[in-house]
Amino acid sequence: MSDMLSMKGQFALVTGGSRGIGRAIAQGLAEAGCHVAVVSRSEVDAAAAAREIADSAGVRALGLACDVGRMESVHALVGKVRRWSSEKLDVLVCNAGYPFLPEIWNTNLDAIPREKLEAWHLDVLRTDTLGSLFCTYEVLPVMMARRGGSIIYISSTPALQGFKGTPYTIAKAGILGLMKDVASEYGSYNIRANALALGNIRTPATFEKLDFRTQENFAQDAPLGRWGQPEEVARAVLFLASAASSFMTGQTLVVDGGIVRR
């Protein structure tokens, strides 16, 4: 099994990879031997993360800035990655997401101010869903030419059962639809597409924005009685990226401590 989880000599692109869950994903892939391109809106943050990953894991790492919600920016990004990797890209992790804003997350549809209805939904959709779409579009030709690859989409449990904030729910559900289409259409190229539906994962971007009572309530919602850690998400990504999941595609793996049980 350890050999099947090895990513030695492979190349991965991780969006939203400079901090939090994305940073843990990039680190986990690197520790398995994968060369990693780390993407962030901030070139400084991406470069710093890449240096740390290269130093600690002994792999090649590249830090690049990109706004995944802009098609031209993603096109330029993937062009740079293709040159860096000599046209080799084995793994794409679409992790970049719109910032967690409690106002959007906790507002029921009927309570959204009319003047914010369109903006809230389009802003989240552009980053989460269109960002994943643009990255997939640019990476597919590389994987098709090499006849192989693994694309992993980071979604959320509200996409499976709903919540309050429709902007996030709709965007995350759109990601799952994209994943299923990619799995269906490109399996003949040995390209696999899967998704993670994440529950409450403890990162500064989420956990620290909540009051203590909410933090505790979310922890107790899960049968495991706690928040998940970014490193636990990273291990699930490594499984989906590696040969250990070679006969899996079109699937959504729930990582939430047992709240959603299907």
Side-chain angles (χ1 to χ4, degrees), residues 16-261:
S18 67
R19 63 185 66 185
I21 293 170
R23 178 68 172 78
I25 290 170
Q27 184 71 41
L29 290 171
E31 290 176 356
C34 193
H35 306 299
V36 183
V38 179
V39 179
S40 169
R41 284 179 177 269
S42 166
E43 186 172 1
V44 172
D45 290 349
R51 285 194 300 271
E52 293 171 4
I53 289 170
D55 291 343
S56 65
V59 299
R60 294 174 59 196
L62 177 68
L64 294 170
C66 178
D67 178 355
V68 298
R70 293 176 53 84
M71 187 165 56
E72 299 83 358
S73 183
V74 176
H75 178 71
L77 164 72
V78 176
K80 293 174 184 177
V81 173
R82 291 175 70 163
R83 291 189 290 273
W84 170 72
S85 66
S86 299
E87 296 293 327
K88 185 179 181 184
L89 191 56
D90 304 282
V91 179
L92 167 65
V93 182
C94 294
N95 170 72
Y98 195 77
F100 172 73
L101 299 177
E103 182 183 24
I104 297 178
W105 180 261
N106 291 317
T107 303
N108 289 330
L109 179 58
D110 68 288
I112 298 176
R114 181 178 297 275
E115 66 275 11
K116 294 183 178 181
L117 180 65
E118 182 175 8
W120 279 10
H121 285 82
L122 290 182
D123 287 350
V124 181
L125 189 76
R126 175 162 291 278
T127 299
D128 289 55
T129 314
L130 291 183
S132 298
L133 173 67
F134 296 155
C135 289
T136 302
Y137 179 84
E138 295 293 341
V139 163
L140 274 174
V142 186
M143 293 184 172
M144 291 169 69
R146 293 179 53 79
R147 300 197 68 82
S150 177
I151 302 176
I152 300 152
Y153 300 94
I154 305 300
S155 184
S156 182
T157 52
L160 302 177
Q161 63 179 16
F163 190 64
K164 292 181 181 178
T166 55
Y168 286 108
T169 298
I170 292 171
K172 295 301 187 183
I175 290 172
L176 298 185
L178 169 63
M179 176 272 291
K180 292 174 184 177
D181 259 16
V182 173
S184 175
E185 293 300 316
Y186 297 98
S188 60
Y189 290 90
N190 195 35
I191 296 171
R192 299 185 297 112
N194 294 286
L196 298 182
L198 303 184
N200 298 319
I201 308 299
R202 183 168 179 166
T203 70
T206 53
F207 184 81
E208 294 176 6
K209 290 186 177 182
L210 302 173
D211 61 79
F212 178 76
R213 177 174 292 181
T214 303
Q215 292 171 355
E216 286 297 302
N217 287 341
F218 280 3
Q220 295 308 313
D221 282 344
L224 292 182
R226 63 177 177 85
W227 284 64
Q229 298 296 326
E231 293 75 18
E232 293 175 303
V233 178
R235 290 195 288 272
V237 168
L238 176 59
F239 168 69
L240 292 177
S242 71
S245 62
S246 58
F247 199 51
M248 282 183 62
T249 193
Q251 304 304 309
T252 300
L253 187 62
V254 180
V255 183
D256 75 341
I259 296 175
V260 176
R261 297 180 292 276

